Amino acid sequence: MFGPCRGIARELDAPLIVGRAAEGGLQLLDDKVSREHCAIDPIGPAGHVLRDLSSRNGTWLNGQLLQEPTRLRPGDHISVGESVLVYEPSFDALRARDGESTLVLTRSRTEAARSGTAPSPEALARAGELALRAANAPSPEAGVGLVLEAIRAALHPTALTVLRLAANGSMRPLLARPLGAHLTVSRELVDSALRTGRALTMPEAQAFPDTDNLRTRVRRGEAHVLCAPLYVAGQPAGALCLMRETAFSDEELALAGALAGAAGPSLCPPSEPLRASVPSYVPPVAESASMREALRVATAASQVQSTVLITGESGTGKEEVARAIHSLGARSRGPFIAVNCGAIPAELAESELFGHEKGAFTGAVSARPGVFEQADGGTLFLDEVGDLPAPLQVKLLRVLQDRVVQRVGGRASLPVDVRVVAATHRNLIEGVRAGTFREDLYWRLNVVRIHLAPLRDRPEDVLPLAERFLTRLSAQLGRRAVSFTDEARTALRACTWPGNARQLANAIERALVLKGPGAQVGLMDLPPEVVAPEPRADAPERGGTAAPAHGVTLAEVVGKVEREHIVLALKRAKGVKSTAAEALGISRPTLDRKIDEYGINLFE
């Protein structure tokens, strides 16, 4: 197998000849390759065309024999003899973090794999010393540097790479050494090492590229690959793979295994705390017809990997729906990363999304992955995506199209396997018309759209939501409350909730903090804006009658609240009217009038 290297990763502004005797082109030392096998011709800004040069064994494009000149598309695979060339720009998807090193995972047989059986005491002592130093490194970066330095000094590999095990079971390159190296590893070898927990080695055919300013020569030959498993908190996290032309001894296997075992957390840090199992899924409240329809669309979208755009007013539960999409899909065991695009300072937004390398800017004392890398193998929720600055909209579009990210200050692109769910309270179509939001990004995000109606338009969801918040917040705050009084339920249903579910949750939390004794939340425990809300100028009419649909007038609700507050003030003042009036902020005559008006018994 042949992967991309520096000689063919450059822009092609002239025909590139591929063959055994290609002068100034790509020379492949393979008996199955003709002297001049095929050519890649530029056609201006439009791209490149592949044509066969009457080769003996033919040129194959994506598994099909090339019959006529064909325009190449990103990611096309060109088979020439025993080599496979990948047409740009998908070169970036194969590059490791710190250069153009290439990893190719094959399906080679593993009968030749072997493991160390009886390492010498000297080898174990040396491995233990190096492992201890790596485990006690002051930082993950220092631990990584120590491990790589020790491996280079003791094992002399031609190339090495660290693979990270994604949540979906795929292996993704995390870093590689040196720049420009090519490494072919058997996936069965990696799986066997992770399954047995031991360092294994086997011979593996490799491609050795030799590049100069004019051409790239590729020599195929046998080499030996060593694979040592990486574990974090007892769970498989990745693998350390080494390659060289000479075989590895038993002592070297033991040394590599010990180093990998001690340096797992440094070499392969988890993007979030490891989870032994998928958290239990609690579906969002959906008693209303509009919310049931939204969940129906979310359930269907969870079974595919298409981008989802969730719209609706702030506080309507867009993140809850995004979590439902994540939990119901195949990525439920992967991370769910949520980021509010509107809350990130403009100067830090690119670093937050895509990460940065050490020294990329003042204060970047170490490399840091962005949220796309953190969500690798899972779901990334981009809340308030409409607030992204214009320059970042361009970069986000590229990531969504190519599935690769480039860190700030980095030279190479990193492949990411992320499902993106975006949300906004803005009208993005109006943003497109105003020129503040890119139209191509809008259509890239708006593959599956889910709209959440405001809470005032789905009153059936209010009480079920309130009861769920009451259960959850009671446990969090340590306050005992099991239900609402009838008056409180009436007030909750009558409120228009301009702040939607977020306002409802805050009202329940305030009620739990301030409530008196008893197992029920009463009317007097709710905030004044819930009990007697002021009419909204922009609120739609909810009917032409003076009384709400539930048969309780606003005056009756206000009267009940006022009476309960007066009774409470009198109890706290132990019947002293002047003290109660001062606490209520009214005069003593006004208090006397209210007591007579509401028929309050001072001894009740």
Side-chain angles (χ1 to χ4, degrees):
M1 303 250 338
F2 175 80
C5 60
R6 286 174 291 176
I8 59 174
R10 62 177 183 267
E11 294 292 333
L12 300 178
D13 52 7
L16 176 70
I17 306 299
V18 181
R20 282 189 296 113
E23 293 294 335
L26 179 60
Q27 187 175 23
L28 301 179
L29 304 182
D30 185 344
D31 292 339
K32 296 181 180 180
V33 177
S34 300
R35 291 177 58 83
E36 290 190 349
H37 198 101
C38 63
I40 301 175
D41 300 323
I43 52 175
H48 299 81
V49 168
L50 174 67
R51 57 188 174 92
D52 185 70
L53 299 178
S54 302
S55 62
R56 183 174 68 255
N57 294 313
T59 302
W60 299 75
L61 179 62
N62 298 325
Q64 300 293 325
L65 182 64
L66 187 68
Q67 302 289 350
E68 58 184 13
T70 303
R71 180 177 173 180
L72 291 172
R73 298 170 300 175
D76 278 348
H77 287 66
I78 307 166
S79 298
V80 181
E82 295 294 332
S83 300
V84 177
L85 313 180
V86 184
Y87 177 66
E88 293 197 62
S90 55
F91 284 89
D92 287 341
L94 295 176
R95 291 178 182 170
R97 168 154 50 200
D98 48 1
E100 298 168 350
S101 302
T102 303
L103 172 74
V104 179
L105 287 178
T106 73
R107 305 298 299 182
S108 301
R109 298 172 64 84
T110 58
E111 283 83 353
R114 65 180 178 87
S115 63
T117 55
S120 67
E122 293 79 7
L124 288 177
R126 185 182 181 194
E129 178 186 353
L130 291 173
L132 183 61
R133 290 175 58 197
N136 294 329
S139 67
E141 292 78 12
V144 169
L146 182 59
V147 170
L148 299 183
E149 178 185 357
I151 287 175
R152 284 196 296 267
L155 304 180
H156 307 289
T158 304
L160 65 84
T161 186
V162 174
L163 305 179
R164 182 178 63 186
L165 181 63
N168 59 5
S170 64
M171 282 290 181
R172 313 189 69 79
L174 192 62
L175 60 85
R177 298 288 194 280
L179 177 66
H182 181 281
L183 179 60
T184 301
V185 181
S186 166
R187 179 58 195 257
E188 278 79 3
L189 179 65
V190 178
D191 292 341
S192 297
L194 289 175
R195 185 175 60 254
T196 62
R198 297 183 298 175
L200 302 174
T201 184
M202 65 173 288
E204 177 76 76
Q206 301 288 333
F208 299 94
D210 181 18
T211 304
D212 57 29
N213 292 331
L214 297 178
R215 57 191 170 187
T216 297
R217 295 184 177 89
V218 179
R219 174 177 59 86
R220 292 183 60 81
E222 287 294 322
H224 295 265
V225 175
L226 182 151
C227 181
L230 299 172
Y231 287 84
V232 177
Q235 298 294 322
L240 171 65
C241 299
L242 315 175
M243 183 269 289
R244 73 183 188 192
E245 296 190 50
T246 58
F248 293 94
S249 67
D250 293 341
E251 294 180 357
E252 290 172 328
L253 281 172
L255 176 60
L259 282 170
S266 297
L267 287 173
C268 201
S271 57
E272 66 172 14
L274 295 177
R275 300 178 297 183
S277 60
V278 180
S280 57
Y281 167 63
V282 179
V285 170
E287 296 295 328
S288 63
S290 64
M291 197 63 186
R292 287 198 300 270
E293 173 62 16
L295 280 190
R296 184 192 70 79
V297 177
T299 302
S302 68
Q303 306 306 307
V304 295
Q305 303 305 312
S306 302
T307 305
V308 178
L309 177 63
I310 306 175
T311 59
E313 295 180 5
S314 295
T316 49
K318 296 188 285 294
E319 183 171 342
E320 289 297 314
V321 174
R323 289 185 180 275
I325 294 173
H326 172 76
S327 299
L328 293 172
R331 296 175 177 268
S332 58
R333 291 188 179 275
F336 178 89
I337 304 295
V339 58
N340 190 323
C341 299
I344 308 174
E347 62 274 11
L348 299 178
E350 183 176 2
S351 173
E352 180 69 21
L353 291 179
F354 310 124
H356 63 260
E357 296 291 354
K358 181 178 180 180
F361 50 83
T362 303
V365 296
S366 62
R368 180 182 181 276
V371 293
F372 273 93
E373 289 182 70
Q374 296 173 36
D376 192 35
T379 302
L380 176 60
F381 176 56
L382 296 176
D383 197 9
E384 300 303 346
V385 70
D387 294 338
L388 274 179
L392 282 184
Q393 294 179 24
V394 179
K395 296 185 177 182
L396 175 60
L397 178 63
R398 178 179 179 271
V399 173
L400 294 176
Q401 291 175 340
D402 299 342
R403 299 295 173 178
V404 295
V405 297
Q406 186 170 7
R407 290 182 173 184
V408 178
R411 295 175 297 171
S413 299
L414 304 174
V416 289
D417 177 24
V418 175
R419 199 288 175 65
V420 174
V421 179
T424 181
H425 75 282
R426 300 182 183 277
N427 188 327
L428 293 186
I429 285 292
E430 292 183 358
V432 170
R433 293 169 182 164
T436 59
F437 198 82
R438 292 182 61 92
E439 184 176 7
D440 48 3
L441 177 58
Y442 171 74
W443 293 116
R444 189 64 186 82
L445 292 172
N446 192 24
V447 179
V448 179
R449 184 181 177 187
I450 301 175
H451 180 72
L452 300 185
L455 197 54
R456 61 180 175 273
D457 292 341
R458 42 189 179 102
E460 302 91 340
D461 293 335
V462 172
L463 286 181
L465 272 173
E467 290 167 354
R468 177 171 294 188
F469 290 145
L470 183 66
T471 302
R472 181 187 305 169
L473 293 171
S474 295
Q476 291 179 1
L477 300 174
R479 308 300 293 269
R480 181 174 177 270
V482 296
S483 63
F484 299 95
T485 64
D486 292 340
E487 292 82 3
R489 296 169 67 87
T490 299
L492 291 171
R493 283 195 300 262
C495 183
T496 57
W497 301 109
N500 294 298
R502 185 176 294 119
Q503 181 190 3
L504 175 58
N506 291 343
I508 303 304
E509 183 174 359
R510 178 188 183 278
L512 287 171
V513 171
L514 301 179
K515 73 179 292 294
Q520 289 187 311
V521 173
L523 186 65
M524 59 184 297
D525 299 320
L526 297 175
E529 63 270 15
V530 175
V531 176
E534 295 184 2
R536 293 177 57 193
D538 60 340
E541 292 294 334
R542 302 185 66 177
T545 61
H550 301 289
V552 180
T553 66
L554 179 61
E556 291 174 333
V557 173
V558 173
K560 288 181 179 180
V561 175
E562 191 173 43
R563 187 183 190 282
E564 290 188 22
H565 275 278
I566 292 173
V567 170
L568 179 62
L570 288 170
K571 286 182 177 180
R572 290 175 175 172
K574 298 181 179 180
V576 180
K577 293 183 179 180
S578 58
T579 303
E582 183 179 357
L584 292 169
I586 58 178
S587 64
R588 169 67 183 275
T590 301
L591 178 59
D592 289 333
R593 179 170 55 81
K594 293 288 185 182
I595 291 174
D596 293 337
E597 179 182 344
Y598 292 125
I600 297 174
N601 184 351
L602 296 182
F603 302 100
E604 66 178 21

